[in-house]
Amino acid sequence: MSEENQIYVPRLAIGLVHYPVRDRMQKTVATNITNFDIHDIARAAQVYGVEKYYIIHPMEEQLMFVERVLDHWRTGQGSKFNPMRKTALTMVKTASSVEAAIADWNAPDCLTIATSARVEWAKRKYAFAELRNEMHVEKKPVFMLFGTGNGMTEQLIGSCSGVLESIRGAPPKDYRHLSVRSAVSICLDRVMGPW
């Protein structure tokens, strides 16, 4: 295939942030990593061409749990039992902080984009179409962050390049209480889907 006929695939990494996030009382906490989030988000990331999926947590015990899960599916019994799962988990990495994850990905001048319902904390607000244009036309690498608990802290959101518009529910209810796994899949389809 000639160079001009090759499809450009935007550079995208995602991070699932377990700290710093907020609890229901708006206190800064660290949330527990769940097995479902490791697997399901990795599968969505594989479908949409994500380069790296970082699970971000400051506690070594939590990161060791992720590594045990990954070892089982990459090289242990799970790799023989379900080769598709092994493929999906190839891009999963752990990091002790957002900064460490971004440094590890090593995409100079990448946009860091938070996903949050709290857009008032943003330096800039991105509609899905605007971010898609930045990625596909302007060819800017993007590191997209997804929060657990009750979302990322104001300080973390404010440190990002911008915040992606929130996912809206169907009218008239506009119900907005998705699992992070569902939110990741919707966001990835809107910015990376072949439509």
Side-chain angles (χ1 to χ4, degrees):
M1 185 183 294
S2 67
E3 196 171 302
E4 58 270 357
N5 291 335
Q6 288 183 346
I7 296 170
Y8 175 73
V9 179
R11 294 198 65 199
L12 175 64
I14 59 174
L16 184 62
V17 180
H18 291 273
Y19 180 86
V21 294
R22 295 169 289 121
D23 67 9
R24 289 184 179 157
M25 305 301 291
Q26 302 305 304
K27 292 180 181 172
T28 301
V29 296
T31 57
N32 287 329
I33 295 169
T34 70
N35 195 24
F36 289 122
D37 289 344
I38 299 169
H39 293 274
D40 291 351
I41 293 174
R43 289 160 66 186
Q46 188 68 241
V47 167
Y48 290 103
V50 171
E51 288 183 15
K52 295 289 179 193
Y53 161 34
Y54 291 91
I55 299 172
I56 301 167
H57 203 295
M59 293 177 62
E60 187 176 342
E61 295 84 359
Q62 287 283 297
L63 298 180
M64 287 170 60
F65 162 71
V66 176
E67 294 299 339
R68 283 195 306 274
V69 170
L70 294 176
D71 284 348
H72 172 75
W73 291 103
R74 288 176 177 166
T75 59
Q77 282 298 111
S79 66
K80 298 177 189 80
F81 176 73
N82 190 339
M84 292 295 285
R85 183 73 50 93
K86 177 181 177 180
T87 300
L89 294 171
T90 57
M91 93 287 288
V92 180
K93 294 193 80 173
T94 58
S96 59
S97 68
V98 170
E99 296 79 12
I102 293 169
D104 181 79
W105 188 43
N106 192 24
D109 302 319
C110 71
L111 295 173
T112 52
I113 304 296
T115 56
S116 176
R118 304 301 299 261
V119 294
E120 71 270 17
W121 295 342
K123 287 180 187 169
R124 178 177 174 188
K125 299 170 192 167
Y126 284 90
F128 282 102
E130 290 175 300
L131 185 60
R132 188 175 173 92
N133 183 71
E134 293 278 356
M135 296 170 70
H136 293 262
V137 178
E138 301 298 324
K139 299 186 177 180
K140 291 186 180 173
V142 169
F143 198 110
M144 192 178 295
L145 299 173
F146 296 89
T148 57
N150 280 296
M152 292 175 275
T153 62
E154 179 177 359
Q155 182 179 5
L156 177 54
I157 291 171
S159 71
C160 291
S161 308
V163 171
L164 190 56
E165 69 178 295
S166 59
I167 298 166
R168 298 179 56 108
K173 290 184 180 179
D174 189 19
Y175 183 78
R176 298 187 196 199
H177 192 64
L178 292 169
S179 70
V180 70
R181 298 180 298 283
S182 295
V184 169
S185 295
I186 292 167
C187 290
L188 292 182
D189 186 67
R190 290 184 181 179
V191 299
M192 295 289 279
W195 45 268

